[in-house]
Amino acid sequence: MDQVTARRLGLVLLAVILLAALAQLFFRTPVQTDMSAFMPHDRDRLQTLLQSQLEQGPAARVWLLALRGGSAEVLAGASRLFSHKARKSGRFSQVLNGQQQLDDATRKLLSTYRYLLSDRLQPDSYSVEGLHRLFLGLLEILRSPLSTFSKTLAPRDPGGESLYLLQKLMPKTGAVRLEQGVWMDREGTAALLLLQSRVSGTDLDAQLALQQEMSRWLEAVREETGIKGLKIQFAGVPALSLETRQRIRDASTRLGALAGGIMLLYMFLVFRSPRRVLMTALPLLTGVIFGAAVVSLCFDGIHGITLAFGITLLGVAIDYPIHLLTHQHPGEPLGRTMKRIRPTLFQGVVSTLLGFSVMLWSDFPGLVQLGLFSISGLFMAAWVTDFVLPRFGRDSAPGELPLLQHVPGSTGQAGVRIQLVLVVLILGLFIWTLQDEPVWSRDIRSLSPVPQEIKEQDGRLRAAMGAADPSAVLLVEGRDAQDVLRREESLQPKLQKAVEQGLLRGVESAARLLPSIQRQQERQSWIPARQELVLRLEKALADLPFKPGVFAPFIDDLDHSRSLVPLTPVSLQGTPLYLRLQALLLPTSEAVIGVMPLVGSRDLPRLSNLLGSAAGEGVWVFDIPRETARMMADFRDDMVRKAGWAVLAIVVLLAAWLRDWRRCLAVLLPVSLAVLVSVVAVLRLGQGMNLFHIVGLLLVTGIGLDYALFFSRKVVSADEQRRTLYGLVICCLSTVTVFALLGLSGIPVLQAIGITVAVGCLAAFLLSWLLARPASQPLACP
């Protein structure tokens, strides 16, 4: 096969690959925006359960709304109209705004089962003494002029168990007050609503459709009330998720367009040739398309952050065509230029790919996507630079490089003393910074792209609605829902003691809403048979001024309670209480987990000691902030270890390639110092290091090795040295520009990578230039 045929077959192969990649991207690539992709997925069972409930559980489907822009009377009317439209739409399983928080059917059910559900009842409640105390208390209440107890209710429910249950089971609404029959904030400037959608919390397209429909309802309410200034504020998990998605999409589009435009302009200013600019763009475009298609094929989609990260290829892969074009001498074919620089270029590419390979072994699916995207994209960009560009531009003469004549014909290699000063200065600054600043960030919430202002606004509305997130939860595992309810009931005495001691402000549990079947049957067993109950009642009322037979309804209800079938979670389906039970009883494939939010927890170690043996196996006190920090720290340490192995592999390969320990040291030293400079910059900016800064340091290592290898390669003339320096200046400026844009993206994950790499690459270039040690002999082609 001759060279022409081989070249044509190669170009056909490239075209086929690109067409297949484009087809994959356009027809089979949904863009994902779920930030959980950048959370570790190889968690233990409880961590997995909590994460899945945060993403897909009932809490992930709850919208918190605030209507503003009118008087309290106007807002109350708007709340009723809006709630009516929401209920009528059938799009929500729950619509709560303070109007009859428990519907008539639920109130009737609670009244019927009051003697099985009330936790105030004791085994002696139906003894003569217990009944006598009950009627004495009723008499005192009825005689009080301030009493609100209904006299019509007394014959049927003298103990007021129905009212007690209604008060106990009403949602705690924090600073919410009931005004004109609806929820209002404390200031009376906003009507508050809580809506639970029927669609999954992860179906953001459906949630967006809901948000748009709610905005249309608001327009309709404005027209019906005539209040044009009426506004709506969205909060809750769906609202924050949609805000996150929109910001990621905006950043991806904005950064891609801005970086692409800047790089095209920059390349035109450097090469002054449209053909040469096209030659620099070809490896980048093919790399991005191929990398995105590979990720889409492996993950059935691609994350928005991965797409935004794709612009980093502009800062890395563009180095390859720049090296080729700037090293071309007048009259020299590009194929010969590539043959001359291929050994060094090959070493730089392999070192960079080794650095990125660490992400492939990450427990973060998002990081795996980033690693796969980068490796496949850079590989394709390097292959196009090596195979296609020399043929694409085989007849082209070098473009004009007007600034080349101003570049010095030697490296900036500093003297030994200056080099030692540099090393000592950077090491000293690094050690001083470590002593002065905390190294690692432990706040996983800092990775959210939602601005702090919006998160604080969401938090204020949550607090007003009584939906503020607890700082800790008690997890109770059982074989089924009844097993969980029984175990939660056994913990209640100790938890109540913890509240009394000030260790907690409160505890929510499924058992508080619905006792176990065993507990309901136990309360049934306390109720005597009808004949015995009548005798006890007569004795208890003997010296009290109640009319004979007035409590016959009370006797009838108690007798009926003896034959009731105990309530179960299924019995509550279709009631407002079922919504709360869903969030507190979480079924898994193997068991059911009861979630007991510990509100206002102050001393979890003391709480664990207080629970002691009462907890037993299958009960865990789960400190959310501390457990999250521990989980992130574990995966961070694992990532650091893997990065260490990757660095070791790079060092071994460099030693095998260079076969000169002095030159090997000259290559590794500036890169190592550049990594330290990046860490110092991040810490001095007040940002603790996280996993994504480590990703950035891997990039600094790969790019810095490319600089150091080219600075240390053997050159035969001052012109070649000048071209090397000129090419590396262009590479450095393009890389720093692209990653500086990432640092300004507003997406914390991309900001961490952008700032780290921009600072590190600039430092790597300067240090490699100052510490360069050119080879004494040409390098052999691998």
Side-chain angles (χ1 to χ4, degrees), residues 251-566:
S252 301
T253 303
R254 183 179 66 253
L255 290 175
L258 185 60
I262 289 176
M263 295 310 298
L264 282 175
L265 178 61
Y266 183 43
M267 290 300 102
F268 185 79
L269 291 175
V270 169
F271 293 109
R272 308 291 177 89
S273 165
R275 184 184 183 89
R276 295 264 156 161
V277 172
L278 181 60
M279 291 172 69
T280 61
L282 184 60
L284 307 182
L285 293 175
T286 54
V288 170
I289 293 171
F290 184 72
V294 170
V295 171
S296 171
L297 194 62
C298 295
F299 287 88
D300 296 324
I302 187 168
H303 200 280
I305 285 182
T306 305
L307 279 178
F309 186 76
I311 72 165
T312 63
L313 290 180
L314 299 177
V316 180
I318 200 170
D319 290 2
Y320 307 152
I322 288 175
H323 286 314
L324 176 63
L325 298 177
T326 56
H327 280 87
Q328 184 184 19
H329 292 291
E332 181 183 43
L334 277 177
R336 186 178 300 170
T337 306
M338 174 54 71
K339 184 177 181 180
R340 193 172 73 252
I341 69 171
R342 183 180 290 122
T344 307
L345 187 63
F346 176 83
Q347 293 163 6
V349 171
V350 172
S351 299
T352 303
L353 296 184
L354 274 175
F356 278 119
S357 68
V358 174
M359 288 189 281
L360 295 179
W361 310 109
S362 169
D363 295 309
F364 292 64
L367 281 184
V368 177
Q369 280 198 24
L370 292 181
L372 183 61
F373 182 88
S374 301
I375 289 174
S376 53
L378 289 177
F379 172 81
M380 176 57 71
W383 182 79
V384 170
T385 301
D386 191 343
F387 182 82
V388 177
L389 291 192
R391 292 150 180 84
F392 181 76
R394 63 187 184 279
D395 299 324
S396 65
E400 182 184 0
L401 301 176
L403 300 179
L404 181 60
Q405 58 184 337
H406 301 293
V407 177
S410 62
T411 68
Q413 184 177 10
V416 175
R417 292 183 180 179
I418 296 178
Q419 291 180 350
L420 287 175
V421 169
L422 274 175
V423 172
V424 172
L425 181 64
I426 292 174
L427 286 175
L429 183 62
F430 177 72
I431 294 172
W432 175 51
T433 301
L434 291 184
Q435 294 175 343
D436 196 42
E437 301 285 347
V439 177
W440 300 109
S441 170
R442 296 181 178 273
D443 187 6
I444 196 171
R445 294 170 296 181
S446 64
L447 299 180
S448 170
V450 179
Q452 187 63 28
E453 176 187 354
I454 295 179
K455 288 189 282 190
E456 290 175 356
Q457 180 176 303
D458 178 84
R460 287 192 295 269
L461 187 52
R462 281 179 173 275
M465 294 289 292
D469 295 329
S471 60
V473 294
L474 191 65
L475 300 180
V476 181
E477 183 181 41
R479 296 184 303 276
D480 51 32
Q482 291 303 317
D483 191 23
V484 171
L485 292 174
R486 287 192 296 270
R487 301 195 72 178
E488 288 185 351
E489 289 166 348
S490 69
L491 293 171
Q492 285 297 336
K494 295 263 178 121
L495 290 172
Q496 182 59 38
K497 187 176 180 181
V499 172
E500 294 170 358
Q501 292 181 1
L503 302 179
L504 302 169
R505 286 205 310 269
V507 183
E508 181 76 0
S509 69
R512 181 175 175 273
L513 300 178
L514 178 66
S516 66
I517 291 177
Q518 180 179 338
R519 180 60 56 88
Q520 293 180 63
Q521 290 174 336
E522 182 182 27
R523 288 171 182 162
Q524 281 180 313
S525 70
W526 298 341
I527 304 174
R530 184 182 186 91
Q531 186 175 0
E532 177 64 21
L533 180 61
V534 170
L535 293 175
R536 293 182 187 182
L537 206 65
E538 290 176 353
K539 293 180 181 178
L541 293 170
D543 58 347
L544 297 176
F546 291 106
K547 295 180 180 179
V550 69
F551 292 109
F554 175 51
I555 296 173
D556 292 339
D557 285 357
L558 279 174
D559 189 51
H560 179 60
S561 296
R562 285 167 47 85
S563 59
L564 289 174
V565 176

